């Protein structure tokens, strides 16, 4: 039989199966040693050198295009984005999708520790920077104001010894109001103006509520940042804290805007007829000073209640 030119070239080509190939000798199920050898060769085979010498083959072109698509789909942090939690294991990273972040640190099951005191996420487009504020200067001056108040309070209580408690309280009320105003004015002067709306979902709802807050924060629908408490092992009926931050507690338009968005997202009830149905806003300055419920100065821990902001404003 006479071979054509193409058939002759095919027959003479090296690299095809020969008559002495083990391909013909291996049973259908494959000899165990041969299978192991071939699997090992396949596992260690590197096609890159071959591809580099055959750039015009379709499989090589397809592989190159696939690599370009994968690189393009990988999020690359923009130099214009900002993340105060970049490099922190307990915060979302700029090259990490929100979905990946939520999967990595679900608040329901992430144990609280010195490594994970909170779980953080930032609005990467926010303009506020921690370097813009003099927190140390605020703390020093604020502690002086608190000491002055304590002296004035002691003086009032001594001068009104034996009076009814309500009478003493009424006398102290103007002093407390003046202290609150002085502290807030000082916070403004030092640039320590951040504050937060506080949500308290039960553990069974915390992952879902946090996912909503996280997505909305990154999408610029809420404020500058947010954080959630991880699992402290306190049980299923102890609520978790989610803080939704705004840049300036005195910017009532922004404070109200964030609250309205929380209502739209279904995280806060629209109608708030009783105190238990609302949420509260607290200045970070008060948090740093330890002004919590029942504090020694008798100050209100929170600045705003949602029912007031959605009604006639602050009361």
């Amino acid at each position: 039989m006479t071979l054509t030119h193409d058939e002759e070239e095919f027959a003479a080509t090296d690299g095809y199966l020969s008559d002495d190939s083990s391909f013909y000798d291996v049973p259908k199920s494959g000899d165990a040693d041969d299978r192991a050898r071939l699997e090992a060769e396949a596992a260690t085979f590197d096609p890159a050198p071959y591809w580099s010498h055959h750039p015009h083959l379709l499989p090589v072109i397809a592989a190159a295009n696939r690599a370009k698509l994968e690189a393009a789909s990988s999020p690359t942090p923009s130099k214009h984005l900002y993340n105060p939690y970049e490099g922190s294991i307990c915060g979302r990273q700029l090259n990490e999708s929100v979905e990946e972040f939520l999967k990595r640190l679900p608040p329901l099951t992430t144990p609280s520790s010195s490594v994970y005191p909170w779980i953080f996420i930032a609005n990467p487009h926010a303009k506020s920077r921690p370097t813009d504020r003099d927190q140390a200067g605020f703390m020093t001056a604020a502690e002086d104001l608190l000491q002055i108040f304590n002296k004035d309070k002691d003086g009032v209580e001594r001068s009104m010894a034996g009076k009814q408690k309500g009478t003493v309280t009424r006398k102290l009320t103007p002093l407390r109001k003046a202290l609150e105003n002085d502290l807030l004015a000082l916070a403004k002067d030092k640039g320590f103006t951040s504050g937060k709306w506080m949500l308290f979902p039960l553990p069974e709802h915390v992952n879902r509520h946090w996912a909503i807050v996280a997505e909305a924060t990154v999408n610029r629908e809420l404020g500058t940042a947010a954080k959630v408490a991880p699992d402290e092992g306190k049980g299923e009926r102890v609520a978790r804290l989610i803080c939704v931050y705004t840049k300036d507690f005195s910017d009532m338009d922004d404070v109200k805007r964030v609250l309205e968005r929380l209502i739209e997202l279904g995280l806060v009830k629209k109608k708030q007829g009783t105190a238990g149905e609302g949420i509260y806003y607290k200045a970070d300055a008060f948090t740093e000073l330890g002004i919590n419920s029942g504090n020694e100065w008798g100050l209100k821990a929170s600045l705003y209640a949602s029912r007031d902001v959605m009604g006639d404003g602050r009361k």
Side-chain angles (χ1 to χ4, degrees):
M1 181 180 68
T2 302
L3 298 177
T4 65
H5 173 74
D6 290 341
E7 289 172 332
E8 289 176 349
E9 183 176 359
F10 180 85
T13 301
D14 293 331
Y16 290 94
L17 295 175
S18 63
D19 290 340
D20 60 352
S21 170
S22 62
F23 176 84
Y24 297 103
D25 299 327
V26 179
K28 187 174 183 180
S29 59
D31 176 79
D33 292 338
D34 280 331
R35 287 205 311 272
R37 176 179 57 78
L38 294 173
E39 287 173 357
E41 290 177 358
T44 58
F45 177 68
D46 181 10
Y50 176 85
W51 289 355
S52 64
H53 291 87
H54 300 78
H56 303 297
L57 293 180
L58 287 178
V60 178
I61 296 173
N65 289 338
R66 189 162 55 247
K68 290 179 181 179
L69 288 174
E70 290 174 354
S73 63
S74 299
T76 302
S78 168
K79 63 180 181 180
H80 301 296
L81 300 181
Y82 175 72
N83 182 18
Y85 313 120
E86 196 70 15
S88 171
I89 195 173
C90 56
R92 182 240 174 187
Q93 306 300 292
L94 288 176
N95 64 352
E96 184 177 35
S97 70
V98 175
E99 182 179 0
E100 291 170 337
F101 165 68
L102 294 172
K103 185 177 180 180
R104 178 170 65 87
L105 294 174
L108 178 62
T109 54
T110 299
S112 176
S113 66
S114 58
V115 178
Y116 298 109
W118 294 93
I119 299 171
F120 299 93
I121 193 165
N123 173 357
H125 307 278
K127 296 180 180 179
S128 61
R129 302 288 186 268
T131 53
D132 297 339
R133 67 190 189 190
D134 180 9
Q135 184 172 338
F138 166 80
M139 293 297 292
T140 299
E143 287 170 0
D144 290 340
L145 290 174
L146 292 173
Q147 289 179 7
I148 293 172
F149 171 81
N150 281 337
K151 291 180 180 179
D152 292 342
K153 175 174 173 287
D154 290 342
V156 169
E157 291 175 341
R158 283 196 303 268
S159 67
M160 300 186 72
K163 299 288 185 179
Q164 292 185 352
K165 184 177 180 179
T167 303
V168 178
T169 299
R170 284 192 293 273
K171 187 71 173 179
L172 290 174
T173 296
L175 295 178
R176 289 194 173 103
K177 188 63 179 177
L179 174 61
E180 178 183 331
N181 291 338
D182 288 345
L183 289 173
L184 294 177
L186 177 63
K188 286 283 292 181
D189 181 62
K190 298 297 184 180
F192 194 12
T193 59
S194 57
K196 63 266 186 182
W197 284 109
M198 297 176 290
L199 308 172
F200 291 92
L202 289 173
E204 61 190 277
H205 303 303
V206 68
N207 278 1
R208 182 174 66 86
H209 286 204
W210 176 239
I212 294 172
V213 168
E215 287 281 1
T217 298
V218 170
N219 292 334
R220 293 186 276 186
E221 298 173 39
L222 293 174
T224 57
K227 71 180 181 182
V228 61
D231 180 20
E232 296 181 344
K234 294 182 178 180
E236 298 179 356
R237 305 313 301 170
V238 178
R240 302 285 188 86
L241 173 59
I242 296 176
C243 294
V244 179
Y245 288 89
T246 74
K247 180 180 179 181
D248 188 342
F249 59 75
S250 67
D251 186 348
M252 288 306 300
D253 288 339
D254 189 51
V255 169
K256 184 175 182 179
R257 177 193 65 80
V258 172
L259 174 59
E260 289 175 335
R261 186 58 183 142
L262 290 172
I263 293 173
E264 292 169 355
L265 291 170
L267 299 175
V268 181
K269 288 185 177 181
K270 186 173 184 179
K271 293 184 178 180
Q272 301 163 27
T274 63
E277 294 178 340
I279 62 172
Y280 295 88
Y281 183 98
K282 187 174 184 179
D284 283 349
F286 278 24
T287 299
E288 289 300 313
L289 289 171
I291 300 177
N292 300 315
S293 179
N295 62 83
E296 63 181 282
W297 308 283
L299 295 172
K300 290 192 303 180
S302 60
L303 290 183
Y304 316 122
S306 57
R307 64 183 181 278
D308 295 334
V309 172
M310 296 305 296
D312 299 325
R314 186 181 174 191
K315 297 181 180 179

